[in-house]
Amino acid sequence: MRKDTARFSDFCERLDLPAEAAGAAKLTITDGKQTLVENHRGLLEYGADQIRVSTGRGQIILRGSGLTLGAMSDRELLIRGRLLSAEWE
Amino acid sequence: MNRIERRIKGALRYELCGVQPEALLNACALEGLPFSELEIVDAYTLRLTIPEDERARLEALAPRCRCELRPLGGTGGRTARRALRRRWPLLLAAALLLLGLLVSSLFIWEIELIGRESLSRGLLLRALEDAGVAPGAFRPGLDADEVRSRVLERVPELAWMTVNVRGSRASVLLLERSDKPEIYREKDAADVTAKCAGIVRRVSVLNGRPLVRPGQAVLRGETLVSGVMDSLTNAPRGVRARAEVLADTWYEITALCPAGRLKETDGGTAQRRYALVVGKTRVNFYGKGGKALDGYDKIIREHRLAVKGLFSTPLCLVCEELRPYEARAAAFSAPEELQQRLFGELNAQIRGEIVSASFSVSEGDALLGVSLHAACREDIAKTVDIIP
């Protein structure tokens, strides 16, 4: 399944189609105070200073202060609080 | 979930403990179970709020994610309904209050008169009461056209009126009748005569035959411009003479007033007393021991239980303030006041200007006399119909 998603993602990339259409995770940061993660695969760690989010093909590590989960659905994740760094592993 | 929705639908607060509480959050997201107000207690404990009707689903998910749930309480919904059921007298009082407001909004409790100038408030209120508009009148039973007809018939000084009812407040818009202007027909012959004696300074004739010249002295009632025009071919014909005749005139006006007067001075601490008016019934909170009002200034303030422009109730709190005073004799120290009033009176009488003025003051038996001697330049023309 994970291999198929990766292949479809590569295929979309060759056709110049947006990667998120193939289910790739997308990170949108607004003014460093609000972070939206689309196409996530769940929370791995949740804390006020660090939040780890699974993307299926890796994970996103968000570090900051006063981080809180504003809203969560099976596809999207809204995080509020001061974001200091975002790492993609 | 916003606060109002939470209050209506009800919300439950839970504390969840487990090795990985994030797993329960992921499960909630996958199942579409909404949660909010996430709070981190420690690495293994979280607190969250869910809608009341999602309780069963959350309790089913928790063991699958190896989490333990601990209820912390709830707001709104069933919890609030249970609490209200215990406080039924409060509910009953609120319902009665609401019912009272609804019923009272069907009646008129406040009457506002707009556009009143010279007519007395009492006269208008009595006429309105006779027409069915009074405190306590049933609002849906009012017919604005009928009220208008009856009040206009009762008060002929009114030219027009209407009643607008908003909530329990009746706004009565009034238009008082203005004096009818002088009506004349252009073909009616008229002379221009002098309204007072004086020396003519300028004559501007628009129609008619002038009989006076500048520098000529005229008496009151003397014809200045004749409305009878001679004709070379026919008999004399009558016209409506019109002219402006400027003349120097002289006036002497005297006013008398008492030489002394009483002046109110502060006579002690003011006292307050209260009364409650329910509709037309007044309940005094000061018993029957009302004060005689001699020696007191009475100031009345009314506070109606109402929201302006929205609704009004029959309840009105009346606060009466009684301020004692002492009447002491004081000299009438202001002939200037009389002088100004005389000056104003003369200005209102003449159609021109006061050229010069002087005053004289005389004192008699307890009376003070102030006389105004003035020289004026004014239009003394007055149109008088010629009676055939």
Side-chain angles (χ1 to χ4, degrees):
Chain A
M1 179 75 179
R2 191 173 162 181
K3 203 173 176 181
D4 291 345
T5 310
R7 277 183 191 165
F8 187 57
S9 180
D10 292 341
F11 175 70
C12 286
E13 204 174 326
R14 279 182 202 166
L15 292 177
D16 280 345
L17 289 171
E20 60 264 33
K26 184 182 174 185
L27 189 69
T28 310
I29 301 168
T30 312
D31 201 23
K33 290 173 185 171
Q34 190 165 290
T35 310
L36 178 71
V37 185
E38 290 170 80
N39 294 331
H40 72 88
R41 294 286 184 274
L43 280 171
L44 298 174
E45 185 188 342
Y46 178 63
D49 304 323
Q50 180 172 296
I51 292 176
R52 282 196 299 135
V53 183
S54 170
T55 61
R57 279 197 277 176
Q59 56 178 283
I60 300 169
I61 303 170
L62 302 168
R63 291 197 180 88
S65 57
L67 299 177
T68 55
L69 199 57
M72 186 178 182
S73 70
D74 59 336
R75 301 291 298 271
E76 292 170 339
L77 197 66
L78 182 72
I79 294 158
R80 293 203 177 92
R82 186 84 195 149
L83 186 72
L84 297 174
S85 70
E87 287 177 26
W88 208 291
E89 282 188 353
Chain B
M1 202 169 18
N2 62 42
R3 277 185 193 175
I4 299 168
E5 193 185 346
R6 205 156 47 216
R7 283 276 168 200
I8 296 167
K9 286 187 175 177
L12 295 172
R13 186 108 179 119
Y14 277 101
E15 187 173 84
L16 55 103
C17 299
V19 179
Q20 201 179 12
E22 294 88 354
L24 184 60
L25 298 182
N26 291 333
C28 287
L30 280 172
E31 291 286 328
L33 194 156
F35 59 86
S36 61
E37 295 179 4
L38 209 57
E39 185 192 340
I40 303 161
V41 180
D42 56 46
Y44 305 105
T45 314
L46 290 175
R47 283 178 187 162
L48 51 76
T49 303
I50 59 155
E52 200 177 75
D53 49 1
E54 301 286 359
R55 176 184 184 167
R57 283 172 71 195
L58 184 74
E59 285 178 352
L61 280 176
R64 273 161 42 193
C65 301
R66 293 177 184 174
C67 284
E68 189 187 326
L69 279 178
R70 200 177 307 143
L72 296 176
T75 53
R78 269 179 231 157
T79 318
R81 282 195 290 276
R82 264 200 302 274
L84 280 176
R85 220 173 286 150
R86 282 198 301 273
R87 296 168 188 154
W88 63 268
L90 186 72
L91 272 180
L92 184 69
L96 285 175
L97 184 69
L98 193 67
L99 188 70
L101 277 177
L102 283 173
V103 171
S104 81
S105 69
L106 293 173
F107 296 88
I108 288 172
W109 299 116
E110 209 175 345
I111 297 172
E112 183 190 23
L113 300 176
I114 301 166
R116 184 176 66 88
E117 288 173 7
S118 59
L119 290 171
S120 81
R121 185 179 164 80
L123 172 80
L124 291 167
L125 288 178
R126 275 193 299 278
L128 283 166
E129 189 172 358
D130 289 346
V133 181
F138 189 54
R139 185 164 63 93
L142 277 183
D143 183 352
D145 291 336
E146 193 188 333
V147 171
R148 178 169 47 233
S149 304
R150 291 175 69 176
V151 172
L152 290 182
E153 187 189 0
R154 173 93 188 262
V155 189
E157 294 87 355
L158 280 178
W160 174 85
M161 69 149 288
T162 190
V163 181
N164 294 324
V165 181
R166 186 178 292 170
S168 293
R169 186 188 182 96
S171 298
V172 183
L173 298 175
L174 305 163
L175 183 66
E176 292 184 15
R177 198 177 291 281
S178 53
D179 292 336
K180 201 158 72 171
E182 190 188 353
I183 298 169
Y184 62 86
R185 290 185 298 176
E186 197 59 41
K187 63 180 182 182
D188 288 350
D191 288 335
V192 171
T193 60
K195 77 175 177 77
C196 60
I199 296 175
V200 176
R201 293 298 173 202
R202 199 180 76 203
V203 182
S204 308
V205 179
L206 299 170
N207 202 7
R209 183 163 50 90
L211 300 178
V212 292
R213 290 181 178 180
Q216 189 176 333
V218 292
L219 293 171
R220 183 181 176 187
E222 192 175 329
T223 306
L224 305 174
V225 180
S226 173
V228 181
M229 300 288 283
D230 293 331
S231 172
L232 291 171
T233 54
N234 291 320
R237 61 189 172 90
V239 295
R240 191 161 193 88
R242 278 187 293 169
E244 186 188 69
V245 181
L246 272 184
D248 287 340
T249 54
W250 289 266
Y251 289 89
E252 184 176 326
I253 311 173
T254 303
L256 295 170
C257 69
R261 63 176 177 178
L262 292 175
K263 192 178 178 185
E264 288 182 9
T265 54
D266 192 11
T269 318
Q271 294 174 26
R272 281 186 182 173
R273 58 189 196 183
Y274 297 91
L276 184 69
V277 178
V278 185
K280 290 180 180 176
T281 311
R282 182 185 169 107
V283 182
N284 293 331
F285 295 133
Y286 46 88
K288 291 179 181 173
K291 279 184 184 299
L293 288 173
D294 291 341
Y296 284 90
D297 277 334
K298 187 176 176 183
I299 298 157
I300 301 173
R301 292 190 185 91
E302 290 186 348
H303 307 281
R304 185 168 286 280
L305 182 63
V307 176
K308 198 173 181 182
L310 195 62
F311 72 87
S312 184
T313 63
L315 297 174
C316 181
L317 182 71
V318 181
C319 174
E320 291 180 358
E321 191 174 334
L322 299 171
R323 286 187 187 164
Y325 66 83
E326 286 175 15
R328 288 182 184 167
F332 193 78
S333 60
E336 295 83 16
E337 195 181 314
L338 270 184
Q339 289 175 7
Q340 281 179 4
R341 288 175 68 176
L342 284 171
F343 210 80
E345 183 67 28
L346 182 60
N347 256 325
Q349 272 186 33
I350 62 169
R351 287 201 312 261
E353 55 176 357
I354 298 170
V355 179
S356 65
S358 64
F359 294 94
S360 61
V361 180
S362 62
E363 279 189 53
D365 294 335
L367 283 176
L368 186 76
V370 179
S371 297
L372 165 66
H373 312 275
C376 308
R377 179 157 291 183
E378 60 169 319
D379 180 13
I380 60 167
K382 182 185 172 189
T383 307
V384 177
D385 287 336
I386 300 171
I387 300 164

